[in-house]
Amino acid sequence: MHILILPSWYPLHKDDLNGAFFREQAYVLADSGVKVGVIAPQFRSLRLGKNAVLGRYDQEFWQDGNISTYFQHGVFWFPKIPYLDLKRWVKAGLALFERYVKEQGMPDILHVHSLLYAGPLALEIHKKYQIPYCVTEHSSVFGRGLVKDWEWPYLKRAEAAASKLLAVSKSLADLLKQKLNGKEWTVFPNLLDDLFVESSMNLSARKYQLCAVAFLHAKKGFDVLIKAFANVVEEYPQLKLVIGGEGPERTKLEMLIKTLGLENNVTLLGALSRGEVCQLMKESLCFVLSSYIETFGVVVIEALSQGTPVVSTLCGGPESILTEGDGLFVKAGDEKELAKGILEFLANQEKFDNEQIRRRCIDAYSKKPFVNKLTNIYRDILDKK
């Protein structure tokens, strides 16, 4: 079986986190014996200024382990006429595809990760070569109302010709059915990184702290979390909140912590490695997700893999992840409700079995069930072809 992955964004090297989960999925497939390749136009935004103009414009080949990866570097030159840039992006992808076939052979199936822009590229390849394609949608642009009017026809045409439609959560699947052609999307969750699966768990090593990890952006609701925690420490004055991540909200959050007098209770750790995230989750009583919207919520399964219960806002993706024994939900954007949820967890910690939480998560999200389900989908596509 030969699968060619068409991502709408992708890491440029092994330390690049942009689209890292697409690369992780490609690696897991390749390790299972499937032949896997990637083609990914890499166009820079003019917002980068001089760095956009002076960057590369050539094709690049990266033998990434067993994965043959092809890039076409360029620039989005026409932000005011964006459909021209989409056509240029697709044209670049078609050129990469032709090179890929000459050097690696014809793939059996194309796998699109996020419809915009890779969906229109897959459609063009499908029309020319009759190769079937499936789509996994990850993007939050649909739920955040960021899809532009001119983009909808391209997305609908790409969706209509796909052999299989996958969405990372039920909330996203329902939204895509409503917004596009009314077709059914199958829920297919993201993959848990092996680092979190292989981590050993010491049940006696929990610190008297809660944790949260994310890019420090307004949509992650960290200001709501910190305000909620100010209410929590009135009852639990020794409790700590440790937040991992960097981003544009950091200065604002630092000022909020100081204003609320929480300097001794709340710590902003800055950017963390995967290993550091794993350790933080493993040693915390609970993980708190305060987002307004999440299409999936990889940090939720990462926390559960360490046996750590989760208090989460009702923000989309986590509703497809958390079971009754894994944690509890609260209303998004409401500091009083979030404080109430954290206090409820603290008063009922004995209801959450760390070992069972970890086992349920690994059984559902580790690479073995992921590969089995995905290869069955591929076989079904080929059988129908």
Side-chain angles (χ1 to χ4, degrees), residues 137-187:
E137 190 54 68
H138 309 253
S139 181
S140 65
V141 297
F142 298 93
R144 295 163 62 199
L146 299 180
V147 178
K148 299 175 180 64
D149 289 344
W150 69 269
E151 292 171 335
W152 287 111
Y154 290 95
L155 297 175
K156 289 181 177 181
R157 285 194 291 270
E159 185 211 37
S163 295
K164 188 70 175 180
L165 300 168
L166 309 170
V168 294
S169 66
K170 185 179 185 304
S171 63
L172 182 58
D174 292 343
L175 183 64
L176 292 167
K177 180 180 179 180
Q178 174 192 341
K179 294 284 189 179
L180 292 168
N181 295 308
K183 299 184 73 173
E184 295 293 334
W185 287 72
T186 300
V187 177

Side-chain angles (χ1 to χ4, degrees), residues 4 56 61 68 71 77 85 90 92 126 158 165 169 174 184 186 196 206 212 240 300 328 368:
L4 179 59
R56 298 177 64 168
F61 174 71
S68 299
F71 298 133
W77 286 116
D85 275 331
V90 169
H126 172 69
L165 300 168
S169 66
D174 292 343
E184 295 293 334
T186 300
F196 291 85
R206 303 275 172 181
K240 309 294 184 185
V300 173
L328 51 90
K368 184 176 179 179

Side-chain angles (χ1 to χ4, degrees), residues 239-270:
L239 187 65
K240 309 294 184 185
L241 171 63
V242 184
I243 299 173
E246 196 55 80
E249 290 282 291
R250 178 165 186 140
T251 300
K252 176 183 173 183
L253 297 177
E254 288 173 338
M255 292 177 62
L256 180 60
I257 291 167
K258 186 174 182 180
T259 299
L260 296 174
L262 295 174
E263 296 97 323
N264 294 326
N265 294 89
V266 181
T267 303
L268 301 181
L269 293 178

